[in-house]
Amino acid sequence: MMGDPKEAGAEASPPRAAARGGLSLLPQAESEEPAQGSALFLGGNEVKSRAVVKYSSAPPRTAFARLEEKTDLKLPPANWLRESAKLGPAGTTILGNSKKSKPFSSFGMAYDFIDSVGNDVDVVSDSENIKKLLKIPYSKSHVSMAVHRIGRTLLLDELDIQELFMRSSQTGDWTWLKEFYQRLIDQKWQRKKKSKEHWYQKAILSKFLYYSINGDGAAQPVPSPAEQQESSSSDQTHDSEGASWPAPFEMPSSVSEDPSASSQGLKNDFVRNILWTFEDIHMLVGSNMPIFGGGRYPAVSLRLRDNNKPINVLTGIDYWLDNLICNVPELVMCFHVNGIVQKYEMIKTEEIPNLENSNFSTKVIKDIAQNILSFLKSNCTKEGHTYWLFKASGSDIVKLYDLTTLCEETEDKYQNPFTMPVAILLYKVACNMMMKKNQNKKHYGTIRTLLLNCVKLLDKSRHPQIIASANYMLSELFQLDEPKKEESSDSPLNENSDESYSEEEEEMPDSDENGSYSTSSDPADDNKAVAIIKSVGELSVPEKYKSIHQIRPSCAFPVCHDTEERCRLVLSYVLEGLKSVDSSIKKESDLPAADPSTPIPLKYEDESTRGSPEGLEKQMALFLDKMGSLQKGNCSGQSGMTPGSWQHKMKLQLILKSSKAYYILSDAAMSLQKYGRALRYIKLALQSHDTYCCLCTNMLSEVLLFLSQYLTLCGDIQLMLAQNANNRAAHLEEFNYQTKEDQEILHSLHRESSCQGFAWATDLSTDLESQLSVSCKCYEAANEILQFSDLKSQNPEHYVQVLKRMGNIRNEIGVFYMNQAAALQAERVVSKSVSAAEQQLWKKSFSCFEKGIHNFESIDDATNAALLLCNTGRLMRVCAQAHCGAEDEFKREFSPEEGLYYSKAVDYYLKALRSLGTRDMHPVVWDSVNWELSTTYFTMATLQQDYAPLSRKAQEQIEKEVSEAMMKSLKHCDVDSATARQPLCQYRAATIHHRLASMYHSCLRNQVGDEHLRKQHRVLADLHYSKAAKLFQLLKDAPCELLRVQLERVAFAEFQMTSQNSNVGKLKTLSGALDIMVRTEHAFQLIRKELVEECDQPKNDEATSAADSSPNLNREEVIKLLSIFESRLSFLLLQSIKLLSSSKRKMSNNTEEDTVLQTNKQIYSQLLRATANRNSTLLERIEVIICLLEQLASGSSGSSGGAVP
């Protein structure tokens, strides 16, 4: 029956054309035709069967020639044994099957359809083997097959014991199996010869086929007009089979009959490869059955039958399965008697199971297929092992042996001839899965298991290339830089990574009733068998051997809980790969070939085929020469590898992988703050990379990017080591520790290179300057690599990071030199002039800051550029401070050099603010720069005020400059924003107002003449004193400053009073001064609070007391200010009493003034008594003052005296 036209078309594998002796593939038009499928309904039981031709090498089908009755098949036709495009050369007999199936026939198919193996297909085999298995319950003949497991796929091959033992007597390959077979199974083994009847039937069939192909001397059929029309358009019909004839053979039939033909290579010698789905079993089947077509029969199979011998069940099953596998809907049988053609009979495929004498149930065949597959799946569990399915002739017992285990008991485990083909297939399947784009990571466990089993099978000394490549692929499975959350797939993974199946799975019986593992009722000598089917009859029982296993349990991909574990696994595979390469270099000349006619595609890229930017090698060579790592004229390495050889390419890939792994390890150690370990790993990464550079003939930009990243990380590590010098011993210990694995990898690297190229970058220095310098050099080298290739534009993020780090390290070095200069300045005692060493340090520091600013500006990093400009401003202030100590303290004046450097500092701070633009861009940095600028202006003003350069400038000019600088400082001093720096800003602003007020007060005292100017100074002094007092009152930790400001205000009032003549004016000024005194109560309260807190500290813990008491309270200063305060209060009260008691005022009868007079007298009296008592403590004296001020405040509240703000 024709199938669903919607099915996928047949596929052809292009590489096969060359490998198959020039056979043509399916024409394009045919390969795209709908595949044929069949669903047969037989005897009420539905059996689903569908076939898709994957490859066919036969010419288009032609109609068979219907032979005339009485044609004598014993006579050879004229074209007999001639080469024919339709039949192939001589020897194509037995239904087109040229010779017995080779022991490795399934491997040839597997190699050609590698996509299907291990994944989609359950079985790969010759159709003859499939038929033989499905006929087991009906047949008494022996069965001997080799079974191999690759992923979820089973490969079945005929294992012709007789042929193998004939061969073993010549080669000695299978001696162990021969001994085992004779000991356990057939002690009287001898070769059975084929009968004359066998050869007679073979010859008759051959002649019949030659007669039927419409060749020279063959009978010509006369097709009807309708047939002619159909035949002419056969190319456009649903003929998806396309080709249908056996492949021509390259060797004489006598040679190809011999099993040793398998040594030609593992070729796919089938005319047709079909993907056959039988029920739920997917099989890749090889078939050589001739298929004829044309006329009324688009596809028929042709059979020759002896009319005297009725068709039996075995033959019926044979014919039925052949037609199902090849999707042939009809069978044509030609009957003969003693070679004389009698008649033809046409039978539909679905009618074959119901033929007379050949009745069989298709349902039973289906059950047999499912049971056999389940039995094999459950027991052939180890990938890489060769299993032997054996049923002796006439026996009902089927046994399964693990030949690999039996072979390992012999002296040479590589005596199993299947070892190499299995290993190569495991490798190829893994390669194929690896090469698929966007491969789902859930397959990684499968790939890993395939590769591990491949490596396990191979002899390291014989197959170093495959072992090296397999280990490289194993290392590639681990994504070194993947995030943690992606490390495991959705399905839970177990830790059983060495085998794809656990021990429990291998030993677990399928079910209690099948007894397939039970050996209690079997002879003792069966203990070698893995599993036994005690009776072939069991195979017909539905689901008797239903597998309880998944067709492939989820393979264990090791769960790496952290990056280090993952990298260590990668490095272990890299090391094995390197060992394989290194061991092969010594004896490259006598390396054994795996299989001369089977090229093994090793999956690494040929470095020489990939382009790189022009001149890149030259630039890289110059760079490496500058770094001191170029070893001239040595691209082949010291071990003598030939550039372009597989060893050279593989070692390059392995070395590059090791450098990446060490880089990731270093990065991980860095994040854990294990800087010594991080430096050790980055050293190994750079040593690997150095070796790579020595070996590489064509430098790739990708590899240069890695080097740039390695050097960047190395710079980071050196910087962190510099900043964590206190833990140097621990870092040194971590740096010097090395694992055996690391030592062995390093040993392999040393075979090619000295690995000293980047030694300068990975030294663990104890000198801070040296560490910072190395860090900077690392970043500069990383940047240089990006500059001379086009990597800068390709990797903008990395480029920005490198420049940021360069800017940062230059800032660090600049600060280091600046601090050294400041330290030298602090130590300078004898010599008053600035030393040359200091100036040298300034230059170095300035140069670093300048370069750093340029780095940040080149990537538009305004914030960091502003910070470096700010540090340059600080350097200018250090220079200015250095010049202030160059003169005698008593003759000290603010020098021009100081002014110059402070002006430069101001310029840099203003540049920093311009760089930022607005506060919104980065408020913290903006506030910091603003504060520094305010401080610079304030320092300039303070120094000019305290050390006025009167020898160079007039007093008025100095006062003007001080005033301007102070006002600029105020402008950049933000007292309103509620930041952490607000109290400092308030203190600074209060201090500025205090200093300005003091300056104007001083001007007023010393100035004579211009009354307008005096008035202006008086107003300004009053204003600034008022503002200073307000700001100091906001602060809780500046009582002394507040007290001093208020006392100066009182002095200012006293000074004004001296110039007043009228008593009324004087009394008003006195009242204002006393009001200022009252307002100092806040300051005294703060001082009292701090003193009380000091007294409350435990007596027995003086150290704690001293430490916990406020550092702002200077007792000596408090006593000094208190004494001044007492004297000034006493003076003011006395003056007030005198003025209020004057005779003129006595006569005015002013009761309000009388009250004030009385209050002032009382307070004055108490004050005199308190000051007379020398034994009073500081706290007592302050409490007295607070009490007096409270009285004064209540007594003068009704006073008409002017209040002072």
Side-chain angles (χ1 to χ4, degrees):
M1 294 173 70
M2 302 307 291
D4 185 353
K6 291 181 184 174
E7 294 293 348
E11 297 171 16
S13 173
R16 288 274 308 281
R20 297 275 305 268
L23 295 176
S24 63
L25 301 177
L26 281 174
Q28 185 63 29
E30 286 186 283
S31 68
E32 290 176 354
E33 283 179 17
Q36 298 182 40
S38 60
L40 307 180
F41 300 90
L42 309 163
N45 294 322
E46 182 186 343
V47 176
K48 295 173 191 164
S49 171
R50 177 175 164 269
V52 177
V53 177
K54 299 286 279 185
Y55 173 87
S56 179
S57 63
R61 296 188 201 123
T62 54
F64 64 92
R66 195 179 184 110
L67 305 184
E68 297 291 332
E69 205 174 315
K70 306 297 182 188
T71 302
D72 189 353
L73 295 176
K74 294 193 289 296
L75 298 174
N79 64 346
W80 192 43
L81 301 184
R82 288 184 189 172
E83 297 238 354
S84 160
K86 297 170 185 175
L87 276 186
T92 35
T93 60
I94 316 179
L95 301 183
N97 202 358
S98 62
K99 56 183 178 288
K100 286 187 178 61
S101 179
K102 289 181 182 178
F104 304 110
S105 63
S106 70
F107 287 90
M109 273 194 286
Y111 290 172
D112 283 347
F113 299 101
I114 207 81
D115 267 345
S116 303
V117 179
N119 219 358
D120 310 324
V121 173
D122 297 311
V123 176
V124 177
S125 187
D126 182 351
S127 61
E128 297 301 310
N129 294 335
I130 301 285
K131 292 190 292 182
K132 194 177 282 188
L133 280 179
L134 298 187
K135 291 188 293 184
I136 282 179
Y138 301 92
S139 168
K140 291 291 181 186
S141 62
H142 89 289
V143 175
S144 174
M145 287 187 200
V147 185
H148 295 91
R149 180 168 203 136
I150 307 289
R152 61 167 276 177
T153 305
L154 296 175
L155 274 66
L156 305 179
D157 293 282
E158 185 180 359
L159 196 61
D160 190 326
I161 293 294
Q162 295 184 1
E163 295 284 1
L164 287 175
F165 292 169
M166 285 291 289
R167 182 181 174 185
S168 79
S169 59
Q170 299 164 15
T171 63
D173 263 0
W174 293 83
T175 49
W176 57 275
L177 183 58
K178 187 175 180 179
E179 289 167 14
F180 168 72
Y181 181 78
Q182 289 175 334
R183 188 170 71 250
L184 288 186
I185 295 155
D186 189 354
Q187 296 184 355
K188 297 175 182 177
W189 174 81
Q190 61 177 10
R191 183 167 176 75
K192 294 170 186 172
K193 293 183 180 177
K194 289 176 179 171
S195 63
K196 284 184 180 179
E197 174 66 17
H198 169 82
W199 298 111
Y200 168 73
Q201 292 296 340
K202 198 171 179 180
I204 284 280
L205 177 58
S206 174
K207 291 167 189 172
F208 167 66
L209 286 172
Y210 272 93
Y211 272 119
S212 301
I213 63 170
N214 209 4
D216 299 335
Q220 300 287 332
V222 184
S224 67
E227 287 171 0
Q228 279 181 325
Q229 192 177 352
E230 276 191 47
S231 179
S232 66
S233 63
S234 62
D235 285 345
Q236 284 84 37
T237 64
H238 296 289
D239 233 0
S240 73
E241 295 280 1
S244 57
W245 298 99
F249 299 107
E250 298 165 10
M251 313 187 80
S253 58
S254 59
V255 178
S256 59
E257 282 285 334
D258 192 285
S260 65
S262 64
S263 64
Q264 300 169 46
L266 308 176
K267 293 201 293 184
N268 182 354
D269 284 325
F270 295 106
V271 175
R272 203 174 295 103
N273 298 130
I274 299 154
L275 200 56
W276 181 40
T277 305
F278 185 58
E279 282 297 306
D280 58 346
I281 303 168
H282 303 285
M283 291 177 265
L284 182 62
V285 181
S287 171
N288 289 326
M289 184 177 79
I291 300 174
F292 296 85
R296 293 191 300 275
Y297 319 116
V300 296
S301 57
L302 195 57
R303 305 286 184 168
L304 183 65
R305 292 295 307 164
D306 191 334
N307 212 11
N308 297 328
K309 295 177 184 174
I311 187 167
N312 62 22
V313 172
L314 293 175
T315 311
I317 293 173
D318 232 28
Y319 292 174
W320 182 68
L321 287 173
D322 266 331
N323 276 16
L324 275 193
I325 291 168
C326 295
N327 241 354
V328 177
E330 291 177 289
L331 161 71
V332 175
M333 278 205 279
C334 175
F335 292 93
H336 74 98
V337 176
N338 295 326
I340 307 298
V341 174
Q342 299 294 313
K343 62 174 180 177
Y344 279 84
E345 191 176 320
M346 182 78 71
I347 303 165
K348 288 192 174 181
T349 301
E350 60 263 40
E351 293 168 0
I352 296 173
N354 303 320
L355 290 177
E356 193 179 349
N357 299 320
S358 174
N359 272 357
F360 61 90
S361 164
T362 57
K363 185 83 167 55
V364 170
I365 301 293
K366 179 198 77 171
D367 291 335
I368 292 167
Q370 288 173 334
N371 278 326
I372 288 174
L373 181 63
S374 294
F375 173 77
L376 292 174
K377 276 194 312 188
S378 300
N379 298 295
C380 302
T381 54
K382 294 180 180 176
E383 274 176 317
H385 280 226
T386 299
Y387 291 91
W388 179 29
L389 186 73
F390 179 77
K391 180 177 93 71
S393 183
S395 168
D396 270 357
I397 300 172
V398 183
K399 297 177 183 179
L400 185 72
Y401 297 94
D402 183 347
L403 292 188
T404 304
T405 308
L406 294 171
C407 181
E408 282 170 353
E409 294 169 6
T410 65
E411 287 181 9
D412 183 4
K413 73 171 181 175
Y414 300 105
Q415 261 207 358
N416 179 355
F418 281 104
T419 300
M420 194 60 198
V422 173
I424 292 176
L425 187 55
L426 287 165
Y427 175 83
K428 281 190 168 190
V429 173
C431 279
N432 182 60
M433 293 176 92
M434 280 286 280
M435 296 303 283
K436 282 182 183 172
K437 295 287 180 192
N438 305 320
Q439 176 65 264
N440 192 327
K441 286 183 185 173
K442 70 182 179 187
H443 293 309
Y444 278 12
T446 307
I447 297 170
R448 182 169 182 269
T449 306
L450 289 167
L451 290 170
L452 287 172
N453 286 325
C454 166
V455 169
K456 207 181 287 183
L457 285 174
L458 295 171
D459 182 350
K460 287 183 182 179
S461 61
R462 297 186 198 184
H463 312 294
Q465 189 175 6
I466 305 178
I467 287 177
S469 183
N471 276 297
Y472 173 66
M473 278 200 289
L474 280 164
S475 74
E476 279 288 288
L477 286 175
F478 294 86
Q479 300 300 305
L480 289 175
D481 48 358
E482 70 181 358
K484 268 191 178 177
K485 62 183 175 186
E486 292 177 13
E487 278 171 18
S488 57
S489 61
D490 296 337
S491 58
L493 300 175
N494 55 57
E495 291 293 337
N496 173 35
S497 54
D498 288 341
E499 292 284 343
S500 48
Y501 304 89
S502 67
E503 294 300 318
E504 294 77 42
E505 285 170 337
E506 288 168 23
E507 292 173 10
M508 191 188 296
D510 287 312
S511 60
D512 294 336
E513 64 268 20
N514 65 28
S516 66
Y517 289 86
S518 170
T519 55
S520 56
S521 60
D522 294 320
D525 57 12
D526 284 333
N527 60 2
K528 295 280 185 185
V530 173
I532 294 169
I533 300 173
K534 287 189 285 188
S535 168
V536 290
E538 292 179 352
L539 292 172
S540 307
V541 179
E543 300 189 350
K544 173 69 176 174
Y545 286 92
K546 186 177 180 183
S547 175
I548 60 166
H549 299 260
Q550 299 173 35
I551 195 145
R552 176 169 185 85
S554 61
C555 281
F557 193 66
V559 181
C560 296
H561 298 292
D562 59 19
T563 309
E564 183 154 5
E565 194 180 336
R566 192 163 58 236
C567 290
R568 278 286 157 206
L569 266 172
V570 168
L571 288 168
S572 69
Y573 295 129
V574 167
L575 177 57
E576 287 305 312
L578 288 172
K579 282 179 179 175
S580 287
V581 174
D582 291 343
S583 68
S584 74
I585 294 168
K586 302 172 195 170
K587 45 186 177 183
E588 189 179 5
S589 54
D590 58 353
L591 277 178
D595 189 341
S597 59
T598 307
I600 303 165
L602 298 173
K603 305 296 179 188
Y604 45 72
E605 237 176 320
D606 187 344
E607 299 290 347
S608 61
T609 60
R610 287 176 58 178
S612 62
E614 194 177 340
L616 193 59
E617 271 70 36
K618 191 177 177 185
Q619 288 174 315
M620 189 63 188
L622 287 170
F623 169 75
L624 292 172
D625 192 36
K626 190 166 83 174
M627 293 291 135
S629 66
L630 192 66
Q631 299 178 3
K632 291 185 175 69
N634 189 25
C635 68
S636 64
Q638 295 167 4
S639 66
M641 277 191 300
T642 311
S645 65
W646 75 261
Q647 289 103 327
H648 186 257
K649 293 175 187 174
M650 180 49 72
K651 193 154 190 178
L652 273 173
Q653 293 299 319
L654 289 165
I655 288 171
L656 192 59
K657 191 73 182 179
S658 72
S659 75
K660 287 182 197 172
Y662 282 128
Y663 168 70
I664 301 293
L665 279 170
S666 179
D667 195 39
M670 178 78 171
S671 61
L672 293 171
Q673 299 181 349
K674 302 285 185 183
Y675 305 122
R677 189 193 305 172
L679 187 63
R680 166 163 55 91
Y681 284 138
I682 204 68
K683 181 176 184 176
L684 286 161
L686 285 166
Q687 285 175 321
S688 299
H689 203 285
D690 189 32
T691 308
Y692 183 93
C693 292
C694 288
L695 291 175
C696 191
T697 53
N698 192 3
M699 190 63 67
L700 296 172
S701 57
E702 177 194 18
V703 177
L704 290 180
L705 177 63
F706 291 147
L707 180 56
S708 180
Q709 289 169 341
Y710 299 169
L711 288 166
T712 305
L713 180 59
C714 190
D716 292 349
I717 295 164
Q718 290 284 13
L719 176 57
M720 295 316 293
L721 284 165
Q723 291 176 349
N724 291 270
N726 53 346
N727 208 9
R728 200 183 297 277
H731 296 320
L732 188 63
E733 189 181 341
E734 282 182 341
F735 177 68
N736 290 326
Y737 171 79
Q738 217 163 36
T739 64
K740 186 173 185 292
E741 196 174 63
D742 294 341
Q743 288 169 350
E744 289 182 2
I745 289 174
L746 197 55
H747 175 70
S748 179
L749 298 178
H750 279 309
R751 286 170 60 93
E752 314 302 335
S753 151
S754 64
C755 305
Q756 292 303 303
F758 297 96
W760 56 267
T762 53
D763 282 341
L764 183 53
S765 171
T766 54
D767 176 43
L768 180 61
E769 183 180 355
S770 169
Q771 284 177 317
L772 292 172
S773 170
V774 167
S775 177
C776 187
K777 195 178 172 187
C778 284
Y779 296 136
E780 286 168 354
N783 182 47
E784 193 174 338
I785 291 167
L786 295 175
Q787 294 294 342
F788 67 63
S789 60
D790 59 350
L791 289 169
K792 185 168 77 171
S793 54
Q794 290 174 3
N795 304 276
E797 286 181 17
H798 178 61
Y799 176 64
V800 166
Q801 285 303 314
V802 170
L803 282 181
K804 272 193 175 182
R805 285 167 160 79
M806 276 174 70
N808 179 55
I809 192 64
R810 283 167 169 165
N811 179 49
E812 291 284 340
I813 297 171
V815 169
F816 170 77
Y817 287 137
M818 179 167 67
N819 290 340
Q820 276 201 320
L824 275 180
Q825 180 188 315
E827 289 167 9
R828 179 157 36 100
V829 179
V830 183
S831 170
K832 295 289 180 183
S833 61
V834 178
S835 67
E838 276 180 80
Q839 290 179 328
Q840 197 62 37
L841 288 168
W842 295 342
K843 284 178 186 174
K844 284 183 180 178
S845 179
F846 181 74
S847 170
C848 289
F849 287 139
E850 204 170 36
K851 287 176 184 173
I853 291 162
H854 175 70
N855 292 145
F856 286 125
E857 285 177 346
S858 66
I859 54 171
D860 299 324
D861 189 343
T863 308
N864 280 316
L867 283 169
L868 263 77
L869 285 162
C870 190
N871 276 340
T872 315
R874 189 175 146 218
L875 174 66
M876 296 299 112
R877 282 161 61 194
V878 168
C879 297
Q881 287 161 14
H883 284 90
C884 79
E887 294 178 47
D888 187 11
E889 189 65 30
F890 297 107
K891 299 176 186 175
R892 167 106 168 83
E893 277 192 2
F894 183 71
S895 66
E897 291 84 5
E898 285 179 88
L900 176 70
Y901 281 118
Y902 277 122
S903 297
K904 282 184 177 179
V906 165
D907 289 343
Y908 282 112
Y909 289 130
L910 290 171
K911 272 186 192 173
L913 288 178
R914 282 197 296 275
S915 173
L916 288 169
T918 61
R919 185 176 185 270
D920 297 340
M921 186 170 177
H922 202 299
V924 177
V925 177
W926 177 273
D927 291 345
S928 179
V929 175
N930 241 338
W931 172 255
E932 294 295 333
L933 181 56
S934 170
T935 304
T936 308
Y937 278 128
F938 177 71
T939 309
M940 279 174 74
T942 306
L943 289 171
Q944 276 186 296
Q945 192 176 7
D946 294 349
Y947 305 101
L950 293 167
S951 60
R952 291 180 291 112
K953 295 178 182 177
Q955 178 76 32
E956 290 80 7
Q957 190 187 348
I958 293 168
E959 285 169 3
K960 185 185 174 188
E961 286 177 7
V962 169
S963 177
E964 283 176 0
M966 287 290 191
M967 293 314 289
K968 283 177 181 174
S969 180
L970 264 180
K971 178 187 165 188
H972 293 285
C973 191
D974 183 6
V975 292
D976 300 320
S977 298
T979 60
R981 201 179 267 121
Q982 190 182 25
L984 277 176
C985 291
Q986 287 172 340
Y987 186 86
R988 164 75 51 77
T991 308
I992 290 170
H993 285 300
H994 180 195
R995 277 187 161 268
L996 284 171
S998 298
M999 183 179 81
Y1000 292 128
H1001 186 175
S1002 174
C1003 292
L1004 203 56
R1005 280 176 178 276
N1006 301 326
Q1007 237 171 19
V1008 284
D1010 192 346
E1011 190 57 39
H1012 173 70
L1013 197 60
R1014 285 176 63 82
K1015 188 177 180 183
Q1016 194 180 359
H1017 284 168
R1018 187 182 300 115
V1019 170
L1020 285 170
D1022 203 34
L1023 175 70
H1024 285 298
Y1025 274 134
S1026 173
K1027 285 185 176 179
K1030 273 186 182 176
L1031 284 165
F1032 277 131
Q1033 275 181 330
L1034 292 173
L1035 298 166
K1036 293 179 181 176
D1037 55 355
C1040 292
E1041 287 82 349
L1042 177 57
L1043 197 53
R1044 190 178 292 109
V1045 168
Q1046 299 291 45
L1047 285 171
E1048 281 190 29
R1049 289 179 79 185
V1050 169
F1052 182 60
E1054 287 178 13
F1055 172 71
Q1056 283 180 297
M1057 200 168 67
T1058 56
S1059 61
Q1060 289 174 328
N1061 297 321
S1062 70
N1063 284 351
V1064 175
K1066 284 184 178 180
L1067 199 57
K1068 189 176 180 182
T1069 305
L1070 270 175
S1071 180
L1074 283 169
D1075 200 38
I1076 291 168
M1077 286 294 204
V1078 167
R1079 289 173 182 276
T1080 58
E1081 188 190 342
H1082 175 69
F1084 284 116
Q1085 291 283 12
L1086 288 173
I1087 293 169
R1088 177 178 172 276
K1089 185 183 173 188
E1090 289 190 34
L1091 288 171
V1092 168
E1093 283 175 3
E1094 272 186 44
C1095 294
D1096 288 345
Q1097 294 290 339
K1099 298 282 184 187
N1100 58 355
D1101 198 357
E1102 289 180 10
T1104 309
S1105 167
D1108 290 349
S1109 63
S1110 172
N1112 295 322
L1113 191 62
N1114 185 335
R1115 292 178 77 94
E1116 287 180 15
E1117 192 177 1
V1118 169
I1119 292 167
K1120 182 181 170 186
L1121 288 170
L1122 182 59
S1123 300
I1124 297 169
F1125 186 87
E1126 285 171 344
S1127 68
R1128 296 336 294 156
L1129 182 58
S1130 176
F1131 171 77
L1132 290 174
L1133 286 169
L1134 183 60
Q1135 292 301 314
S1136 173
I1137 290 164
K1138 280 182 181 176
L1139 284 170
L1140 288 170
S1141 306
S1142 65
S1143 56
K1144 287 180 183 177
R1145 300 197 77 80
K1146 275 256 185 188
M1147 294 167 68
S1148 65
N1149 290 323
N1150 190 331
T1151 41
E1152 206 174 287
E1153 287 184 357
D1154 286 344
T1155 309
V1156 171
L1157 178 62
Q1158 291 306 315
T1159 304
N1160 288 358
K1161 280 182 177 179
Q1162 284 177 7
I1163 293 168
Y1164 182 63
S1165 168
Q1166 289 174 40
L1167 182 60
L1168 286 177
R1169 279 199 294 275
T1171 49
N1173 186 1
R1174 299 286 182 187
N1175 298 323
S1176 300
T1177 62
L1178 180 59
L1179 184 58
E1180 287 169 350
R1181 286 173 68 189
I1182 285 171
E1183 284 176 342
V1184 167
I1185 293 294
I1186 291 170
C1187 180
L1188 294 176
L1189 291 176
E1190 283 173 354
Q1191 288 178 43
L1192 192 59
S1194 60
S1196 61
S1197 58
S1199 169
S1200 58
V1204 179

